[in-house]
Amino acid sequence: MNISTLTDVRLELIAAARYFYQQGWMVGTAGNLSIRLSDGSFWITASGKSKGELAIDDFVRVYPDGRVEQPTEDSKPSAETAIHQVIYNLFPEAISCYHVHSVEANLVSRFVNGDALPLPPLEMLKGLGVWEEKPDCVMPIFANHLQVQQIATEIKTRFSNTPPQLPALLIRDHGVTVWAASSTAARNYIELVEYIFRYMVAARRVFGEV
Ligand SMILES: CSCCC(=O)C(=O)COP(=O)(O)O
Ligand SMILES: [Zn+2]
């Protein structure tokens, strides 16, 4: 057994959350991160924890049958656990699901009225798996219902009929969610989508509405 197999995967989530917090993408208690284990259960951030200073007990374990293992009585699963569950059910290859709130994600979610955000054909899309000459890509947008289960249901219905072009979705006036085959890839995906959002906001300032 090498040393990496002994590492608690929650440490990766703690490090990623601290990094996202430093970027201003997980301010206060905003956002939630999860990682799936080989038995199909996943660790997810407990609800309402300061994401810049997570500790090993600030996670709950959610099993495929919905059972929840809490380290302490006051640790509740993230309010957005239903979204992570639906992503893991839809995408068997997904090992990590990360959700952050940035100012730019909220701004670009208002660039269109419809349910799909056209993305500029940037080289960065290759990092998200889009290897095309001038990619014609959209990011799905979902309404930010107060009942998170409703958001999760709409994600399930839409993606079951129309798989997304990218491993990412945007919730309007809320934030972005990505999923990936490893926690490292999920962290990269967050950085890439946030770069694209920053570009879109800057491009609007420079070129106006295009
Ligand atoms: C101030 S963030 C409001 C809730 C939210 O959108 C979020 O991402 C954090 O919720 P959690 O229950 O995972 O702490
Ligand atoms: Zn959120």
Side-chain angles (χ1 to χ4, degrees), residues 32 80 99 101 174:
N32 29 77
E80 292 166 357
H99 163 70
H101 297 190
H174 183 161

Side-chain angles (χ1 to χ4, degrees), residues 80-97:
E80 292 166 357
T81 298
I83 295 175
H84 294 249
Q85 281 170 315
V86 92
I87 292 296
Y88 287 132
N89 288 335
L90 282 167
F91 305 107
E93 71 285 3
I95 294 295
S96 259
C97 182

Side-chain angles (χ1 to χ4, degrees), residues 24 52 161 167:
N161 293 320

Side-chain angles (χ1 to χ4, degrees), residues 139-196:
M139 187 177 294
I141 303 181
F142 292 87
N144 188 32
H145 303 294
L146 188 58
Q147 300 299 327
V148 174
Q149 185 55 55
Q150 194 178 341
I151 307 176
T153 301
E154 289 179 7
I155 292 169
K156 183 177 174 189
T157 304
R158 182 161 166 195
F159 285 177
S160 301
N161 293 320
T162 316
Q165 294 169 286
L166 303 164
L169 65 89
L170 192 53
I171 307 174
R172 184 167 278 125
D173 300 332
H174 183 161
V176 73
T177 297
V178 306
W179 55 96
S182 70
S183 52
T184 305
R187 183 168 162 155
N188 287 338
Y189 288 180
I190 287 287
E191 289 193 273
L192 291 164
V193 296
E194 290 295 346
Y195 172 97
I196 293 168

Side-chain angles (χ1 to χ4, degrees), residues 22-192:
Q22 286 163 352
Q23 303 307 308
W25 303 338
M26 279 193 127
V27 169
T29 59
N32 29 77
L33 307 180
S34 71
I35 186 163
R36 179 149 58 167
L37 308 174
S38 53
D39 65 356
S41 68
F42 59 88
W43 285 115
I44 187 163
T45 42
S47 187
K49 303 290 179 183
S50 294
K51 302 307 188 307
E53 46 190 42
L54 289 174
I56 204 82
D57 276 346
D58 291 337
F59 295 85
V60 300
R61 193 158 170 181
V62 181
Y63 288 85
D65 62 5
R67 193 163 46 89
V68 173
E69 227 173 66
Q70 303 160 234
T72 61
E73 209 154 282
D74 69 332
S75 298
K76 301 274 179 282
S78 163
E80 292 166 357
T81 298
I83 295 175
H84 294 249
Q85 281 170 315
V86 92
I87 292 296
Y88 287 132
N89 288 335
L90 282 167
F91 305 107
E93 71 285 3
I95 294 295
S96 259
C97 182
Y98 284 5
H99 163 70
V100 301
H101 297 190
S102 71
V103 171
E104 288 80 3
N106 282 272
L107 289 171
V108 301
S109 79
R110 286 274 161 192
F111 281 9
V112 290
N113 291 320
D115 64 1
L117 178 69
L119 300 178
L122 301 178
E123 177 71 9
M124 287 301 224
L125 287 171
K126 291 199 176 83
L128 291 156
V130 180
W131 289 78
E132 286 167 33
E133 186 73 21
K134 284 204 176 72
D136 188 12
C137 251
V138 296
M139 187 177 294
I141 303 181
F142 292 87
N144 188 32
H145 303 294
L146 188 58
Q147 300 299 327
V148 174
Q149 185 55 55
Q150 194 178 341
I151 307 176
T153 301
E154 289 179 7
I155 292 169
K156 183 177 174 189
T157 304
R158 182 161 166 195
F159 285 177
S160 301
N161 293 320
T162 316
Q165 294 169 286
L166 303 164
L169 65 89
L170 192 53
I171 307 174
R172 184 167 278 125
D173 300 332
H174 183 161
V176 73
T177 297
V178 306
W179 55 96
S182 70
S183 52
T184 305
R187 183 168 162 155
N188 287 338
Y189 288 180
I190 287 287
E191 289 193 273
L192 291 164

